[in-house]
Amino acid sequence: MAGAGGGGCPAGGNDLQWCFSQVKGAIDEDVAEADIISTVEFNYSGDLLATGDKGGRVVIFQREQENKGRPHSRGEYNVYSTFQSHEPEFDYLKSLEIEEKINKIRWLPQQNAAHFLLSTNDKTIKLWKISERDKRAEGYNLKDEDGRLRDPFRITALRVPILKPMDLMVEASPRRIFANAHTYHINSISVNSDHETYLSADDLRINLWHLEITDRSFNIVDIKPVNMEELTEVITAAEFHPHQCNVFVYSSSKGTIRLCDMRSSALCDRHAKFFEEPEDPSSRSFFSEIISSISDVKFSHSGRYMMTRDYLSVKVWDLNMESRPVETHQVHEYLRSKLCSLYENDCIFDKFECCWSGSDSAIMTGSYNNFFRMFDRNTRRDVTLEASRENSKPRASLKPRKVCTGGKRKKDEISVDSLDFNKKILHTAWHPAENIIAVAATNNLYIFQDKLN
Amino acid sequence: MAGAAGPGTGPGAAGGDGDDSLYPIAVLIDELRNEDVQLRLNSIKKLSTIALALGVERTRTELLPFLTDTIYDEDEVLLALAEQLGNFTGLVGGPDFAHCLLPPLESLATVEETVVRDKAVESLRQISQEHTPVALEAHFVPLVKRLASGDWFTSRTSACGLFSVCYPRASNAVKAEIRQHFRSLCSDDTPMVRRAAASKLGEFAKVLELDSVKSEIVPLFTNLASDEQLQKAVGPKITLHDLIPAFQNLLKDCEAEVRAAAAHKVKELCENLPTEGRETIIMNQILPYVKELVSDTNQHVKSALASVIMGLSTILGKENTIEHLLPLFLAQLKDECPEVRLNIISNLDCVNEVIGIRQLSQSLLPAIVELAEDAKWRVRLAIIEYMPLLAGQLGVEFFDEKLNSLCMAWLVDHVYAIREAATNNLMKLVQKFGTEWAQNTIVPKVLVMANDPNYLHRMTTLFCINALSEACGQEITTKQMLPIVLKMAGDQVANVRFNVAKSLQKIGPILDTDALQEEVKPVLQKLGQDEDMDVKYFAQEAISAVAQRLRKLDFPVKDSEEPSGPGADKNHFLRPRGPGEDTGKAHRERAARVAPEEAVGAARFRGTDVAKGPAYQLHVHTETHLPNWKLQN
């Protein structure tokens, strides 16, 4: 895996200067609901970047080859393919609408010249093939090139079609549809390192699929109580270990993470490891349980650590230590006093995701007011940056932002009360080998990169 | 077929200076690019026809280059293409040109679909044999190397299957290279490639020189066998003495999956040991490990072992079997896991040959009885399916004594699927033991159930009769079964009555015309006027079937009173007929249309008699898996 084990690329985080590279999406203040980006994901090489939106579309950007004529553009990402992955549906048996919103996209390791990705909405997972075609067959026996039919009885010789070069065409075709296996909403999909299976998780169950088999999946975790009134916890995210194909983790709304080993038994209701940080009784409040709910879990590229995001913090766990995280980074601690109003406007239930840098040395996660945070794990320094169209000149450096918490507001600081809670950065992605990040801010996708020299 | 899809100009307008015989081929070629997959598939399947028409030269220079680029097509088209190309050598000009087929097959060997890749590899293996030694080294070996060092794992997995076919005919220098490539695939980063390499290890070892096997393959085998991720792919196919220790390690591996895979291979390995000294090796080096596995903690391991362990008895002979294996079998028959017990039972015949069934049956019976009464209906179902097999092995006497009562008990099981399977079981038993046995043992017991207070059991009688009548033949059916069926036509539960109609339809073909005319017809007529719509409907179905049969037997049908359309006589039993009388056609149509609606109504309004169970049951089948209705979170 690219950059695994460290040393491959610079440390990332705040010791780097980040600069603007590109912004995608409409400038209008009026944002159509369907255009809101709901997931962002680089492929294994980082040459492709996929986004999914609430309108069920998937847009794939491809990194251009380095252009010698324009030294400033270090491989910009341009649209490669756009396709409608999911359509709104109606479940007549249960009288339920099924939204087309793309919840997650996961790329498959490349297996031939084509690229494959899994996309999922609440219920149905689809495997898409994105392939290129640059040749076209020409010549028919029974009709002319312009489509006019020839007299079939005047055929004097057989013509075999000839391949002619044509403009590059990128096709997205649905290869498999994995449906009808989830009663609740799918929150995660994760491809296994064995290259042939993947898991899908909903609120109460995790299923294991073979990528070539659509009519059968195996339920590997089921936490549904016999009596739904006794339900106290739901699955919030799940992911396979990057190298060990038998290990996966899932996080819960109670702030705990369970690591399961599929070798021990077919049904993984019993975990192998249980990661939980003891609660500090002094800080207990009405909101404790809500804000401790884990919204995302990600293994580091090395496979040694995993990172979890809860409402106010992001934690790094060593897989060898279950009792507490090895690092805890505060994302927006200043919101602790605002929990009441965040509860009322439902923001407290926002599901922020988090991601690792290619070398695992830095981590990134989102916040409100189009702010996102980066933590350097080596230097222990952190920075708040903003995804904004102001100052969106190419190669313009991003200025660190500060939110003031006390009474006196310094110059350049923003008061907590003036934060815009409608502008939230939930989805971000980090290039697997380089310091290039993709940040989804509502309907815009920002791409930033480190400033060389 | 091809012509039909062509342009509108119909054949017959012969003339012009074109060659008529070219037209169908032209259509086939054009349809290689038709939008309809079915037509493309059709053309691909006739690829040899196209190639023949084009001749070897044009096939090589035009058709194959075009086909090489069709890898964008649907899987089924690609699969057909891969298959066709395997038999194409003659069509490209024979062995001297076989290498022209390599480019399209190479592309096909890298597609994402496993079945297509496998087929491409199969075809490559086929045409490798047709290469001359020179062409093999000039074209085929480079292809294998390209695949083996490809960027993506799909091509590397495909390469694994090609080593053994080109190795024996390559020169020594090339051989060394091939071995080197194989070695590197055995330690590939991708587990799927390692697995593919491991599964071809045995095949490759066979074509290698003995020295190379010892110096290269054995270390590879040992490495793969200690591979953490995918040991189970390593089937112990190489039967060298060096491998016994490796196999022992696999049998006691810490991974249950590995133990299961190894256990599965116990018999195969033992069979392949050199006959000389085989018994000693098995007794001393294998059996102790097998004994451990019998009490393994993992059920998959135990069940894998159970599926092959019986096979050891033929290898070890009677005395060893009784002394060493029988205790293991018995332990497995008592295993808590039903799958283990089933695997033992379904392989009884091999032991039977060695030690005889008497010895085995005494300990066998309790285990069978226990399974037959298992609380899980799927377990009961599985054991029922083994009954005919067991009956064949145990013989009629033993069966009557011990198992007959079980078979009858299943008929009144509370799960429909079990009752249904029990019915089929009876049929198979009758086929095995003959009609006389049926008449004496089975039929009386079945018929008694016709008077059961539970209507479900009464229906079971009907189902049994449906299944048994054919096996029992005309005499028993007419004399013993028919009267009971006819009597049940007066049952108070509608479901029984319409099943009577269905049974009469079913056994009709076995009865003679007298019985049909004198006994069946009046009863069906009566049912045809039943107050219940469903009974009426099925009675009418039966009436038309019986009528058809009577007509086939040349039973006089009064043509003058019949409408002439085919099948329009369906209802001629329905009501008394006279000149000008209603033919019943209109009535039938109404019944057919209305029946489903009224059936629903009937379901809703008919009361439930507690003493007799639900009076109404869905008429198709009792669904054992009802859809799981769940609340949305």
Side-chain angles (χ1 to χ4, degrees), chain B residues 119-149:
Chain B
K119 186 57 82 179
V121 169
E122 197 182 313
S123 289
L124 280 170
R125 288 168 69 112
Q126 216 168 318
I127 62 169
S128 74
Q129 303 306 325
E130 286 154 351
H131 278 67
T132 59
V134 178
L136 195 79
E137 280 200 16
H139 302 285
F140 198 87
V141 173
L143 163 112
V144 176
K145 289 191 207 160
R146 270 199 304 281
L147 288 174
S149 50

Short mmCIF file of all heavy atoms in Angstrom, two decimals, chain B residues 119-149:
data_model
loop_
_atom_site.label_atom_id
_atom_site.label_comp_id
_atom_site.label_asym_id
_atom_site.label_seq_id
_atom_site.Cartn_x
_atom_site.Cartn_y
_atom_site.Cartn_z
N LYS B 119 -12.19 -19.68 -18.75
CA LYS B 119 -12.43 -20.28 -20.05
C LYS B 119 -11.30 -19.92 -21.02
O LYS B 119 -10.85 -20.76 -21.81
CB LYS B 119 -13.79 -19.79 -20.58
CG LYS B 119 -14.25 -20.44 -21.84
CD LYS B 119 -14.35 -21.95 -21.76
CE LYS B 119 -15.64 -22.41 -21.12
NZ LYS B 119 -15.76 -23.86 -21.05
N ALA B 120 -10.82 -18.67 -20.94
CA ALA B 120 -9.73 -18.25 -21.82
C ALA B 120 -8.48 -19.09 -21.53
O ALA B 120 -7.78 -19.53 -22.45
CB ALA B 120 -9.44 -16.77 -21.64
N VAL B 121 -8.22 -19.33 -20.25
CA VAL B 121 -7.07 -20.15 -19.87
C VAL B 121 -7.23 -21.57 -20.41
O VAL B 121 -6.29 -22.17 -20.95
CB VAL B 121 -6.88 -20.16 -18.34
CG1 VAL B 121 -5.87 -21.21 -17.92
CG2 VAL B 121 -6.45 -18.78 -17.86
N GLU B 122 -8.44 -22.08 -20.28
CA GLU B 122 -8.71 -23.43 -20.77
C GLU B 122 -8.42 -23.52 -22.28
O GLU B 122 -7.77 -24.46 -22.75
CB GLU B 122 -10.18 -23.74 -20.49
CG GLU B 122 -10.54 -25.20 -20.56
CD GLU B 122 -12.05 -25.36 -20.33
OE1 GLU B 122 -12.59 -24.76 -19.37
OE2 GLU B 122 -12.68 -26.06 -21.14
N SER B 123 -8.89 -22.50 -23.01
CA SER B 123 -8.65 -22.50 -24.45
C SER B 123 -7.16 -22.34 -24.77
O SER B 123 -6.65 -22.96 -25.70
CB SER B 123 -9.45 -21.38 -25.12
OG SER B 123 -10.81 -21.71 -25.11
N LEU B 124 -6.48 -21.50 -23.98
CA LEU B 124 -5.04 -21.33 -24.18
C LEU B 124 -4.32 -22.66 -23.97
O LEU B 124 -3.40 -23.02 -24.71
CB LEU B 124 -4.49 -20.27 -23.24
CG LEU B 124 -4.69 -18.81 -23.66
CD1 LEU B 124 -4.33 -17.85 -22.54
CD2 LEU B 124 -3.87 -18.48 -24.90
N ARG B 125 -4.74 -23.38 -22.94
CA ARG B 125 -4.12 -24.69 -22.68
C ARG B 125 -4.34 -25.62 -23.87
O ARG B 125 -3.44 -26.36 -24.27
CB ARG B 125 -4.71 -25.31 -21.42
CG ARG B 125 -4.27 -24.62 -20.15
CD ARG B 125 -5.11 -25.07 -18.95
NE ARG B 125 -4.84 -26.45 -18.59
CZ ARG B 125 -4.24 -26.81 -17.47
NH1 ARG B 125 -3.83 -25.89 -16.62
NH2 ARG B 125 -4.05 -28.07 -17.19
N GLN B 126 -5.55 -25.55 -24.41
CA GLN B 126 -5.88 -26.38 -25.54
C GLN B 126 -4.99 -26.07 -26.74
O GLN B 126 -4.41 -26.98 -27.34
CB GLN B 126 -7.34 -26.10 -25.90
CG GLN B 126 -8.13 -27.28 -26.37
CD GLN B 126 -9.61 -26.89 -26.39
OE1 GLN B 126 -10.11 -26.24 -25.48
NE2 GLN B 126 -10.28 -27.27 -27.45
N ILE B 127 -4.89 -24.78 -27.08
CA ILE B 127 -4.13 -24.47 -28.30
C ILE B 127 -2.62 -24.56 -28.06
O ILE B 127 -1.86 -24.65 -29.01
CB ILE B 127 -4.50 -23.11 -28.92
CG1 ILE B 127 -4.20 -21.97 -27.98
CG2 ILE B 127 -5.93 -23.07 -29.36
CD1 ILE B 127 -4.30 -20.62 -28.68
N SER B 128 -2.19 -24.56 -26.79
CA SER B 128 -0.75 -24.70 -26.54
C SER B 128 -0.26 -26.03 -27.10
O SER B 128 0.85 -26.13 -27.60
CB SER B 128 -0.46 -24.62 -25.04
OG SER B 128 -0.86 -25.82 -24.41
N GLN B 129 -1.14 -27.05 -27.03
CA GLN B 129 -0.76 -28.37 -27.51
C GLN B 129 -0.57 -28.38 -29.02
O GLN B 129 0.09 -29.24 -29.58
CB GLN B 129 -1.82 -29.41 -27.13
CG GLN B 129 -2.10 -29.49 -25.64
CD GLN B 129 -0.84 -29.71 -24.83
OE1 GLN B 129 0.08 -30.39 -25.27
NE2 GLN B 129 -0.78 -29.11 -23.64
N GLU B 130 -1.22 -27.43 -29.67
CA GLU B 130 -1.16 -27.42 -31.13
C GLU B 130 0.01 -26.60 -31.66
O GLU B 130 0.28 -26.58 -32.85
CB GLU B 130 -2.49 -26.88 -31.68
CG GLU B 130 -3.59 -27.92 -31.54
CD GLU B 130 -4.98 -27.33 -31.46
OE1 GLU B 130 -5.10 -26.09 -31.34
OE2 GLU B 130 -5.94 -28.10 -31.51
N HIS B 131 0.70 -25.89 -30.77
CA HIS B 131 1.87 -25.12 -31.19
C HIS B 131 3.03 -26.07 -31.50
O HIS B 131 3.21 -27.07 -30.82
CB HIS B 131 2.32 -24.17 -30.08
CG HIS B 131 1.54 -22.89 -30.03
ND1 HIS B 131 0.22 -22.85 -29.69
CD2 HIS B 131 1.92 -21.62 -30.27
CE1 HIS B 131 -0.19 -21.61 -29.72
NE2 HIS B 131 0.81 -20.83 -30.07
N THR B 132 3.81 -25.71 -32.50
CA THR B 132 5.05 -26.45 -32.70
C THR B 132 6.01 -26.02 -31.60
O THR B 132 5.84 -24.93 -31.02
CB THR B 132 5.67 -26.08 -34.06
OG1 THR B 132 5.91 -24.67 -34.06
CG2 THR B 132 4.73 -26.43 -35.19
N PRO B 133 7.01 -26.85 -31.27
CA PRO B 133 7.94 -26.47 -30.20
C PRO B 133 8.56 -25.09 -30.44
O PRO B 133 8.73 -24.31 -29.50
CB PRO B 133 9.01 -27.57 -30.24
CG PRO B 133 8.32 -28.73 -30.85
CD PRO B 133 7.30 -28.18 -31.80
N VAL B 134 8.85 -24.78 -31.69
CA VAL B 134 9.46 -23.48 -31.99
C VAL B 134 8.46 -22.36 -31.71
O VAL B 134 8.78 -21.38 -31.03
CB VAL B 134 9.91 -23.43 -33.47
CG1 VAL B 134 10.49 -22.05 -33.78
CG2 VAL B 134 10.91 -24.54 -33.75
N ALA B 135 7.23 -22.54 -32.22
CA ALA B 135 6.21 -21.52 -32.01
C ALA B 135 5.90 -21.36 -30.52
O ALA B 135 5.63 -20.27 -30.04
CB ALA B 135 4.94 -21.89 -32.77
N LEU B 136 5.97 -22.47 -29.80
CA LEU B 136 5.69 -22.41 -28.37
C LEU B 136 6.65 -21.46 -27.68
O LEU B 136 6.25 -20.62 -26.87
CB LEU B 136 5.79 -23.82 -27.78
CG LEU B 136 5.19 -23.98 -26.39
CD1 LEU B 136 3.68 -24.12 -26.48
CD2 LEU B 136 5.79 -25.19 -25.68
N GLU B 137 7.94 -21.61 -28.03
CA GLU B 137 8.92 -20.73 -27.38
C GLU B 137 8.87 -19.31 -27.93
O GLU B 137 9.14 -18.36 -27.22
CB GLU B 137 10.33 -21.31 -27.52
CG GLU B 137 10.56 -22.40 -26.51
CD GLU B 137 12.03 -22.68 -26.27
OE1 GLU B 137 12.86 -21.84 -26.64
OE2 GLU B 137 12.32 -23.75 -25.71
N ALA B 138 8.52 -19.20 -29.20
CA ALA B 138 8.51 -17.87 -29.81
C ALA B 138 7.27 -17.07 -29.42
O ALA B 138 7.32 -15.84 -29.32
CB ALA B 138 8.59 -18.00 -31.33
N HIS B 139 6.16 -17.73 -29.21
CA HIS B 139 4.92 -16.98 -28.97
C HIS B 139 4.25 -17.29 -27.64
O HIS B 139 3.82 -16.40 -26.93
CB HIS B 139 3.91 -17.25 -30.10
CG HIS B 139 4.44 -16.90 -31.46
ND1 HIS B 139 4.54 -15.61 -31.89
CD2 HIS B 139 4.90 -17.67 -32.47
CE1 HIS B 139 5.04 -15.57 -33.13
NE2 HIS B 139 5.29 -16.83 -33.50
N PHE B 140 4.13 -18.59 -27.33
CA PHE B 140 3.33 -18.96 -26.17
C PHE B 140 4.03 -18.63 -24.86
O PHE B 140 3.44 -18.03 -23.96
CB PHE B 140 2.97 -20.46 -26.23
CG PHE B 140 1.83 -20.82 -25.33
CD1 PHE B 140 0.52 -20.71 -25.78
CD2 PHE B 140 2.06 -21.28 -24.03
CE1 PHE B 140 -0.54 -21.03 -24.94
CE2 PHE B 140 1.01 -21.60 -23.20
CZ PHE B 140 -0.30 -21.48 -23.66
N VAL B 141 5.29 -19.01 -24.78
CA VAL B 141 6.03 -18.75 -23.53
C VAL B 141 6.10 -17.24 -23.23
O VAL B 141 5.87 -16.83 -22.09
CB VAL B 141 7.42 -19.42 -23.57
CG1 VAL B 141 8.24 -19.02 -22.36
CG2 VAL B 141 7.27 -20.93 -23.63
N PRO B 142 6.40 -16.40 -24.24
CA PRO B 142 6.38 -14.96 -23.95
C PRO B 142 5.02 -14.48 -23.42
O PRO B 142 4.96 -13.63 -22.54
CB PRO B 142 6.68 -14.33 -25.31
CG PRO B 142 7.45 -15.36 -26.05
CD PRO B 142 6.91 -16.67 -25.59
N LEU B 143 3.94 -15.06 -23.95
CA LEU B 143 2.61 -14.70 -23.46
C LEU B 143 2.46 -15.06 -21.98
O LEU B 143 1.99 -14.27 -21.17
CB LEU B 143 1.54 -15.41 -24.28
CG LEU B 143 0.15 -15.46 -23.65
CD1 LEU B 143 -0.81 -14.62 -24.45
CD2 LEU B 143 -0.38 -16.87 -23.50
N VAL B 144 2.92 -16.27 -21.63
CA VAL B 144 2.82 -16.69 -20.23
C VAL B 144 3.63 -15.74 -19.36
O VAL B 144 3.18 -15.32 -18.28
CB VAL B 144 3.33 -18.14 -20.07
CG1 VAL B 144 3.31 -18.55 -18.60
CG2 VAL B 144 2.48 -19.10 -20.89
N LYS B 145 4.80 -15.34 -19.84
CA LYS B 145 5.64 -14.44 -19.04
C LYS B 145 4.97 -13.07 -18.89
O LYS B 145 5.01 -12.47 -17.82
CB LYS B 145 7.00 -14.27 -19.71
CG LYS B 145 7.87 -15.50 -19.64
CD LYS B 145 9.27 -15.11 -20.09
CE LYS B 145 10.03 -16.28 -20.68
NZ LYS B 145 11.12 -15.83 -21.52
N ARG B 146 4.37 -12.59 -20.00
CA ARG B 146 3.67 -11.30 -19.93
C ARG B 146 2.56 -11.35 -18.89
O ARG B 146 2.43 -10.47 -18.05
CB ARG B 146 3.05 -10.95 -21.28
CG ARG B 146 3.94 -10.15 -22.21
CD ARG B 146 3.11 -9.48 -23.29
NE ARG B 146 2.28 -10.40 -24.07
CZ ARG B 146 2.74 -11.16 -25.07
NH1 ARG B 146 4.01 -11.12 -25.40
NH2 ARG B 146 1.92 -11.96 -25.74
N LEU B 147 1.77 -12.43 -18.95
CA LEU B 147 0.68 -12.54 -18.00
C LEU B 147 1.21 -12.63 -16.57
O LEU B 147 0.69 -12.03 -15.65
CB LEU B 147 -0.19 -13.76 -18.31
CG LEU B 147 -1.08 -13.68 -19.55
CD1 LEU B 147 -1.76 -15.02 -19.81
CD2 LEU B 147 -2.15 -12.60 -19.40
N ALA B 148 2.29 -13.42 -16.42
CA ALA B 148 2.83 -13.67 -15.08
C ALA B 148 3.42 -12.41 -14.47
O ALA B 148 3.49 -12.28 -13.24
CB ALA B 148 3.89 -14.77 -15.13
N SER B 149 3.86 -11.47 -15.30
CA SER B 149 4.44 -10.27 -14.73
C SER B 149 3.53 -9.06 -14.98
O SER B 149 3.96 -7.93 -14.93
CB SER B 149 5.83 -10.02 -15.31
OG SER B 149 5.77 -10.11 -16.72
#
